Every structure is written in C-alpha cells, then in structure tokens.
Amino acid sequence: GIDVAKYQGTLDWEQVAASGMDFAMVRLGYRAQADGQITADSNAAYNLQQAQKHGIKLGAYFFSTAVTEAEATEEANWVADFLAPYSITYPVAYNCEGFNDPNSRQYLLDKYQRTSIALAFLKQIENRGYEAMFYASKNEMTGDAQWQVSRIEPDYKIWVAQYPEKPNPQTEKSSYEGIHQMWQYTRTGQVPGIPEDV
C-alpha cells in the first residue's frame, strides 16, 4: 500500500494499480498551525476518485493540530463529510506531528491531553461509521514516550512509522514492540505512476 498527499504530485493511478498496489491511505487535509483553519489537501479528491476508479482500496488520514477535544471532534466530522461520496474499506487515521516545536499550536499540551484529543477524534470517526486508526512514529509510542498508547491500543488500530536501514522486504516487520496493524516502512519508496518519493 501507499500513503499519498499533494507532496507526491499528480499520480497516474492506472500505472499505480498496474504496479500491484492494493490500497492507498490518502491524506484528506490538515488543520493549519498558524490560524487553526481546516484545509483540504489539494490532491485529496482527485486521489480518492482515481484510486477508486482503478480498483484500489481506500483508507484516509487527517493531519491534526487540535488543541481541544471539541476541535478533534470537528476534524473527525469534517473528515467523515469529505469521505461520504467514496467507498472507504480501510481505516481512517489520526495523524499528529510536530507538537514539540515551540511554534506548534499544541506545544504546551502534555501527552495525557494530546492522547485525550486523539481519542476524541477516533471515537467520533467510529461514531460516523469508519474504522479508526492512530498513526505515530515508533519512538513516540514506545513506552508511552509521547502518547499514552496504552489508552489507545485497547480500542483502536495502530499505524506505526518506523524506517529501518533496509526497508521491506529485506526487513520483514517493524521493530516496534507494541500491537500494530499497519507499518509505514519508508519515505523514499518508488512506485510507477508516482512522480515523487512515496
């Protein structure tokens, strides 16, 4: 499978499908750091439409900078509304990064608060009829370092980002020891029909 956003350029989904990709996790949008506005990824609708047209199974994710549970619920509702026209059979993931940057809206939140916000998103996505998933890096999740994964793992699927020196298939599985259902193993993948690294 692949994780795609506007950064991958305009994909030739016919080529992507022919290359053997089974599923795509499509970035739908993000909440901006500066003003907190929710914005759609400029390629999201195209990616969803074309992937679906070429028989690729679809999941999705949203890049959150929510600072309250209410904002996270708002994000989940925006995501569910965006996805309504499409056939989504893979999970819908909550993605939150950069919170240790002093310029982040979330800079002063502790891991308990961040986890509660993530759980509000995941719960609402599930309420709207989608399978919810939490995305973070191995280092952020190991030992509940930056997230209280122990509060998330019992109820929701986990997507771990961990990039070994030799990616799959040379490295068969993630070294993250927590329960997880999806593994992002490289950020420099090459797939026919995708102009940029994926």
Side-chain angles (χ1 to χ4, degrees), residues 77-96:
N77 285 325
W78 183 91
V79 164
D81 291 345
F82 195 103
L83 289 175
Y86 306 101
S87 175
I88 306 299
T89 57
Y90 267 63
V92 176
Y94 178 85
N95 172 213
C96 174

mmCIF file of all heavy atoms in Angstrom, residues 77-96:
data_model
loop_
_atom_site.group_PDB
_atom_site.id
_atom_site.type_symbol
_atom_site.label_atom_id
_atom_site.label_comp_id
_atom_site.label_asym_id
_atom_site.label_seq_id
_atom_site.Cartn_x
_atom_site.Cartn_y
_atom_site.Cartn_z
ATOM 1 N N ASN A 77 -15.595 15.080 12.101
ATOM 2 C CA ASN A 77 -16.824 15.319 11.334
ATOM 3 C C ASN A 77 -16.512 15.857 9.939
ATOM 4 O O ASN A 77 -17.145 15.454 8.957
ATOM 5 C CB ASN A 77 -17.748 16.278 12.089
ATOM 6 C CG ASN A 77 -18.444 15.608 13.249
ATOM 7 O OD1 ASN A 77 -18.792 14.425 13.182
ATOM 8 N ND2 ASN A 77 -18.657 16.337 14.331
ATOM 9 N N TRP A 78 -15.520 16.739 9.849
ATOM 10 C CA TRP A 78 -15.092 17.259 8.536
ATOM 11 C C TRP A 78 -14.615 16.102 7.663
ATOM 12 O O TRP A 78 -14.966 16.001 6.484
ATOM 13 C CB TRP A 78 -13.980 18.295 8.741
ATOM 14 C CG TRP A 78 -13.491 18.950 7.483
ATOM 15 C CD1 TRP A 78 -13.955 20.107 6.923
ATOM 16 C CD2 TRP A 78 -12.453 18.474 6.606
ATOM 17 N NE1 TRP A 78 -13.257 20.375 5.761
ATOM 18 C CE2 TRP A 78 -12.338 19.398 5.545
ATOM 19 C CE3 TRP A 78 -11.610 17.362 6.625
ATOM 20 C CZ2 TRP A 78 -11.417 19.251 4.510
ATOM 21 C CZ3 TRP A 78 -10.691 17.186 5.588
ATOM 22 C CH2 TRP A 78 -10.589 18.135 4.554
ATOM 23 N N VAL A 79 -13.805 15.207 8.240
ATOM 24 C CA VAL A 79 -13.279 14.053 7.515
ATOM 25 C C VAL A 79 -14.417 13.149 7.032
ATOM 26 O O VAL A 79 -14.458 12.736 5.866
ATOM 27 C CB VAL A 79 -12.295 13.260 8.410
ATOM 28 C CG1 VAL A 79 -12.026 11.869 7.847
ATOM 29 C CG2 VAL A 79 -10.991 14.031 8.572
ATOM 30 N N ALA A 80 -15.341 12.837 7.923
ATOM 31 C CA ALA A 80 -16.459 11.950 7.564
ATOM 32 C C ALA A 80 -17.301 12.556 6.448
ATOM 33 O O ALA A 80 -17.724 11.846 5.523
ATOM 34 C CB ALA A 80 -17.306 11.657 8.793
ATOM 35 N N ASP A 81 -17.535 13.852 6.513
ATOM 36 C CA ASP A 81 -18.302 14.527 5.457
ATOM 37 C C ASP A 81 -17.552 14.477 4.126
ATOM 38 O O ASP A 81 -18.145 14.254 3.064
ATOM 39 C CB ASP A 81 -18.577 15.990 5.839
ATOM 40 C CG ASP A 81 -19.547 16.125 7.007
ATOM 41 O OD1 ASP A 81 -20.230 15.129 7.346
ATOM 42 O OD2 ASP A 81 -19.619 17.227 7.587
ATOM 43 N N PHE A 82 -16.233 14.674 4.178
ATOM 44 C CA PHE A 82 -15.398 14.639 2.970
ATOM 45 C C PHE A 82 -15.433 13.256 2.329
ATOM 46 O O PHE A 82 -15.469 13.121 1.100
ATOM 47 C CB PHE A 82 -13.960 15.016 3.338
ATOM 48 C CG PHE A 82 -13.071 15.376 2.176
ATOM 49 C CD1 PHE A 82 -12.760 16.692 1.898
ATOM 50 C CD2 PHE A 82 -12.538 14.393 1.346
ATOM 51 C CE1 PHE A 82 -11.943 17.029 0.820
ATOM 52 C CE2 PHE A 82 -11.725 14.715 0.266
ATOM 53 C CZ PHE A 82 -11.429 16.043 0.000
ATOM 54 N N LEU A 83 -15.439 12.230 3.160
ATOM 55 C CA LEU A 83 -15.361 10.846 2.662
ATOM 56 C C LEU A 83 -16.695 10.290 2.192
ATOM 57 O O LEU A 83 -16.721 9.231 1.546
ATOM 58 C CB LEU A 83 -14.802 9.929 3.761
ATOM 59 C CG LEU A 83 -13.325 10.091 4.086
ATOM 60 C CD1 LEU A 83 -12.952 9.206 5.265
ATOM 61 C CD2 LEU A 83 -12.455 9.764 2.876
ATOM 62 N N ALA A 84 -17.778 10.960 2.502
ATOM 63 C CA ALA A 84 -19.120 10.414 2.243
ATOM 64 C C ALA A 84 -19.327 9.880 0.820
ATOM 65 O O ALA A 84 -19.959 8.836 0.655
ATOM 66 C CB ALA A 84 -20.184 11.446 2.596
ATOM 67 N N PRO A 85 -18.818 10.543 -0.235
ATOM 68 C CA PRO A 85 -19.077 10.037 -1.598
ATOM 69 C C PRO A 85 -18.253 8.809 -1.991
ATOM 70 O O PRO A 85 -18.472 8.253 -3.065
ATOM 71 C CB PRO A 85 -18.696 11.223 -2.505
ATOM 72 C CG PRO A 85 -18.496 12.399 -1.614
ATOM 73 C CD PRO A 85 -18.136 11.858 -0.279
ATOM 74 N N TYR A 86 -17.302 8.410 -1.164
ATOM 75 C CA TYR A 86 -16.349 7.377 -1.574
ATOM 76 C C TYR A 86 -16.559 6.074 -0.807
ATOM 77 O O TYR A 86 -17.118 6.062 0.276
ATOM 78 C CB TYR A 86 -14.915 7.879 -1.365
ATOM 79 C CG TYR A 86 -14.658 9.194 -2.037
ATOM 80 C CD1 TYR A 86 -14.663 10.380 -1.308
ATOM 81 C CD2 TYR A 86 -14.467 9.275 -3.417
ATOM 82 C CE1 TYR A 86 -14.466 11.609 -1.933
ATOM 83 C CE2 TYR A 86 -14.269 10.497 -4.047
ATOM 84 C CZ TYR A 86 -14.271 11.655 -3.298
ATOM 85 O OH TYR A 86 -14.080 12.865 -3.921
ATOM 86 N N SER A 87 -16.058 4.988 -1.397
ATOM 87 C CA SER A 87 -16.127 3.675 -0.758
ATOM 88 C C SER A 87 -14.840 3.458 0.041
ATOM 89 O O SER A 87 -13.788 3.171 -0.533
ATOM 90 C CB SER A 87 -16.295 2.594 -1.829
ATOM 91 O OG SER A 87 -16.256 1.325 -1.219
ATOM 92 N N ILE A 88 -14.932 3.611 1.348
ATOM 93 C CA ILE A 88 -13.758 3.508 2.223
ATOM 94 C C ILE A 88 -13.808 2.176 2.955
ATOM 95 O O ILE A 88 -14.726 1.929 3.740
ATOM 96 C CB ILE A 88 -13.735 4.674 3.245
ATOM 97 C CG1 ILE A 88 -13.832 6.030 2.520
ATOM 98 C CG2 ILE A 88 -12.484 4.603 4.114
ATOM 99 C CD1 ILE A 88 -12.718 6.338 1.554
ATOM 100 N N THR A 89 -12.822 1.320 2.690
ATOM 101 C CA THR A 89 -12.814 -0.002 3.323
ATOM 102 C C THR A 89 -11.621 -0.197 4.257
ATOM 103 O O THR A 89 -11.589 -1.155 5.022
ATOM 104 C CB THR A 89 -12.806 -1.115 2.257
ATOM 105 O OG1 THR A 89 -11.667 -0.929 1.405
ATOM 106 C CG2 THR A 89 -14.077 -1.079 1.415
ATOM 107 N N TYR A 90 -10.653 0.704 4.191
ATOM 108 C CA TYR A 90 -9.506 0.680 5.099
ATOM 109 C C TYR A 90 -9.737 1.722 6.201
ATOM 110 O O TYR A 90 -10.647 2.553 6.090
ATOM 111 C CB TYR A 90 -8.215 0.968 4.328
ATOM 112 C CG TYR A 90 -7.517 -0.289 3.850
ATOM 113 C CD1 TYR A 90 -8.142 -1.140 2.930
ATOM 114 C CD2 TYR A 90 -6.255 -0.637 4.315
ATOM 115 C CE1 TYR A 90 -7.515 -2.294 2.500
ATOM 116 C CE2 TYR A 90 -5.624 -1.801 3.879
ATOM 117 C CZ TYR A 90 -6.263 -2.623 2.980
ATOM 118 O OH TYR A 90 -5.640 -3.772 2.555
ATOM 119 N N PRO A 91 -8.915 1.717 7.241
ATOM 120 C CA PRO A 91 -9.157 2.653 8.344
ATOM 121 C C PRO A 91 -8.980 4.122 7.967
ATOM 122 O O PRO A 91 -8.375 4.466 6.949
ATOM 123 C CB PRO A 91 -8.111 2.235 9.387
ATOM 124 C CG PRO A 91 -7.777 0.821 9.058
ATOM 125 C CD PRO A 91 -7.867 0.736 7.568
ATOM 126 N N VAL A 92 -9.518 4.966 8.858
ATOM 127 C CA VAL A 92 -9.346 6.418 8.775
ATOM 128 C C VAL A 92 -8.486 6.812 9.976
ATOM 129 O O VAL A 92 -8.862 6.572 11.128
ATOM 130 C CB VAL A 92 -10.702 7.135 8.793
ATOM 131 C CG1 VAL A 92 -10.506 8.649 8.808
ATOM 132 C CG2 VAL A 92 -11.537 6.702 7.587
ATOM 133 N N ALA A 93 -7.331 7.396 9.687
ATOM 134 C CA ALA A 93 -6.314 7.594 10.721
ATOM 135 C C ALA A 93 -6.181 9.040 11.186
ATOM 136 O O ALA A 93 -6.365 9.987 10.414
ATOM 137 C CB ALA A 93 -4.962 7.097 10.208
ATOM 138 N N TYR A 94 -5.836 9.146 12.454
ATOM 139 C CA TYR A 94 -5.496 10.416 13.096
ATOM 140 C C TYR A 94 -3.979 10.548 13.069
ATOM 141 O O TYR A 94 -3.262 9.676 13.566
ATOM 142 C CB TYR A 94 -6.002 10.402 14.539
ATOM 143 C CG TYR A 94 -5.664 11.641 15.343
ATOM 144 C CD1 TYR A 94 -6.484 12.756 15.276
ATOM 145 C CD2 TYR A 94 -4.550 11.683 16.171
ATOM 146 C CE1 TYR A 94 -6.197 13.898 16.022
ATOM 147 C CE2 TYR A 94 -4.250 12.816 16.926
ATOM 148 C CZ TYR A 94 -5.084 13.913 16.844
ATOM 149 O OH TYR A 94 -4.805 15.039 17.584
ATOM 150 N N ASN A 95 -3.485 11.649 12.491
ATOM 151 C CA ASN A 95 -2.047 11.895 12.339
ATOM 152 C C ASN A 95 -1.726 13.236 13.001
ATOM 153 O O ASN A 95 -2.343 14.241 12.675
ATOM 154 C CB ASN A 95 -1.718 11.910 10.846
ATOM 155 C CG ASN A 95 -0.295 12.347 10.528
ATOM 156 O OD1 ASN A 95 -0.067 12.964 9.508
ATOM 157 N ND2 ASN A 95 0.661 12.038 11.371
ATOM 158 N N CYS A 96 -0.797 13.227 13.930
ATOM 159 C CA CYS A 96 -0.432 14.455 14.644
ATOM 160 C C CYS A 96 1.068 14.450 14.856
ATOM 161 O O CYS A 96 1.608 13.533 15.479
ATOM 162 C CB CYS A 96 -1.179 14.495 15.975
ATOM 163 S SG CYS A 96 -0.705 15.866 17.032
#
